[in-house]
Every structure is written in C-alpha cells, then in structure tokens.
Amino acid sequence: MYSAVKAGDIVIIEFGHNEGGGPQGNPQQGVCPGTDLTTTCNEYISNPLYSDGMGLLKLLPTEQQWQDCLYVLQYYRYTEDAVNTFKSKGVKVIVSSQTPNNPFKDTSGTPIYVSYAQQVAQQTSVNYINHFGYVLTRYQQLGASTVNGYFPQDNIHTSSAGADVVAQALVRGVLCDANDPLAPYVMNTNVQPSKVPSLTFTPKHYAKKFKFPS
C-alpha cells in the first residue's frame, strides 16, 4: 500500500480487533501491552517450534528467527510508525478507533486500543475518528433485537447490513470533524447516527459515558 499512495492521498488507519491477547495469547497478531515505544516482549512461549509451552527452549533458533520472535512491540508503536510512514510521503492520515463487538452479548467492555488510537492521533497531529463510539451510539438507537441480527456468526463479524451501519458511522465521524480531510469528498451526508450526543450505554459492561464532537 505504501508504494501505491502518493502525496495528497487519504489513508484511514484502524487497528485493534486482532491485536489483543499479547504474543503468547494471540501468536502472530497479538502485541505487547502499554504505550512504551521501545520495549519488546518475548514470543517464544507461544511458539511450539522453540518452546515447550512453559518458557523452555527446545530448539536453538537462528539469529534471524531470534529477531523475528523477540521483536514484538506495542499497538501504540506500530500505529505511530504507520502514521509517520504515510505522512513522510505527504499522505493525509486519519486514525480511527476499532469498532465495538456486539454490545448486547459481549462482556469485554471498551478495548484499551480505543484510547490508544486517540492518543496516537494526538501525538502525531492527525485527525481522529471515534469509530467505536459512533457505532455504539447507533447500536443503542437500533436496540438489541436488530443489532443481534447483525452478528450471525459471532460477536465480532457483522452481516452486510451490519457492515453498512458501521460504514455510515465512520462517515458520520468524518462529517463531525470540520477539519477532516475526507469531509469535502462525502457526497451523501444522510447517514446514521444523524447526531451523536453524549450518552451512557445501558448494558452494565458498557456503562460509561462517551463524549463526541458536536
């Protein structure tokens, strides 16, 4: 993608759904916890090629394999690197938080990556969309019966109808930020949610207030 973009293009970066669990709990995808930009965490315990599952090495890796396994950083670092890499080409970057799982059935609450995304956007001086908050608002408006129907397989992946709701929420986030570089290109502004007030979501595991730009 980096080789395909050029100065003036717009890139939206939205990470979060696949990063949880850490390298041990989510091999090949999980990232280290925290916001430190340099600390790495050890992935060997989750790699059956090298580990007995208890942290003891079974096979001495090559130098490259050692680097590949050890060099796992944080969501914060990976997202910041992605933003700065695109900015170096003159690309206009928007950081978007991940979308929520089905809030009427999922009990995990608000992922830490939602706030991390906002922090990275502020740190790198790019626009931010609280995609999580906008989608959650729309889910509350639609209610449990409708929203449950958007998740035919699990609590993460939506149907095409659910995907349309998620896409409209992103557009609303763009329109609510007058400085968003994508806003001038939005042709259809009739998207939901039509407005996004501060709210408290009723299921207890999402019982916290979200504040949005007017």
Side-chain angles (χ1 to χ4, degrees):
M1 182 176 178
Y2 175 77
S3 61
V5 297
K6 60 184 181 301
D9 284 348
I10 300 171
V11 170
I12 299 176
I13 298 175
E14 182 173 308
F15 298 148
H17 271 293
N18 297 316
E19 280 70 29
Q24 286 86 21
N26 186 11
Q28 309 302 320
Q29 293 181 317
V31 296
C32 302
T35 59
D36 182 85
L37 297 180
T38 58
T39 300
T40 63
C41 52
N42 199 314
E43 194 180 29
Y44 278 122
I45 194 169
S46 64
N47 191 326
L49 177 61
Y50 306 125
S51 171
D52 63 357
M54 299 173 60
L56 299 177
L57 291 179
K58 297 189 300 184
L59 178 68
L60 186 64
T62 66
E63 181 176 355
Q64 183 59 53
Q65 289 168 333
W66 177 270
Q67 293 297 323
D68 290 344
C69 284
L70 274 184
Y71 200 69
V72 180
L73 296 167
Q74 296 78 15
Y75 169 99
Y76 200 98
R77 171 64 184 271
Y78 289 124
T79 307
E80 184 175 280
D81 282 354
V83 171
N84 289 331
T85 297
F86 285 116
K87 286 179 67 177
S88 71
K89 292 191 71 172
V91 172
K92 300 174 183 178
V93 179
I94 302 167
V95 173
S96 173
S97 65
Q98 71 177 84
T99 57
N101 296 341
N102 181 352
F104 295 101
K105 291 187 175 182
D106 186 275
T107 60
S108 59
T110 306
I112 189 63
Y113 304 118
V114 174
S115 62
Y116 282 176
Q118 184 175 22
Q119 293 172 33
V120 171
Q122 293 172 340
Q123 182 68 28
T124 55
S125 300
V126 299
N127 294 83
Y128 170 70
I129 297 174
N130 187 355
H131 201 187
F132 183 96
Y134 287 110
V135 174
L136 193 61
T137 298
R138 185 56 177 154
Y139 284 169
Q140 184 191 36
Q141 294 171 347
L142 291 168
S145 178
T146 298
V147 173
N148 288 340
Y150 291 154
F151 294 88
Q153 298 179 348
D154 53 36
N155 292 329
I156 302 173
H157 303 93
T158 68
S159 63
S160 57
D164 183 71
V165 170
V166 172
Q168 288 194 44
L170 180 72
V171 174
R172 176 55 59 195
V174 170
L175 294 173
C176 281
D177 182 356
N179 296 316
D180 192 293
L182 194 58
Y185 300 98
V186 176
M187 304 301 293
N188 180 11
T189 60
N190 184 27
V191 293
Q192 299 296 329
S194 58
K195 59 180 180 179
V196 187
S198 297
L199 61 92
T200 299
F201 195 65
T202 49
K204 63 181 180 179
H205 46 278
Y206 276 104
K208 64 176 294 185
K209 290 184 178 180
F210 292 90
K211 293 186 178 180
F212 305 91
S214 58

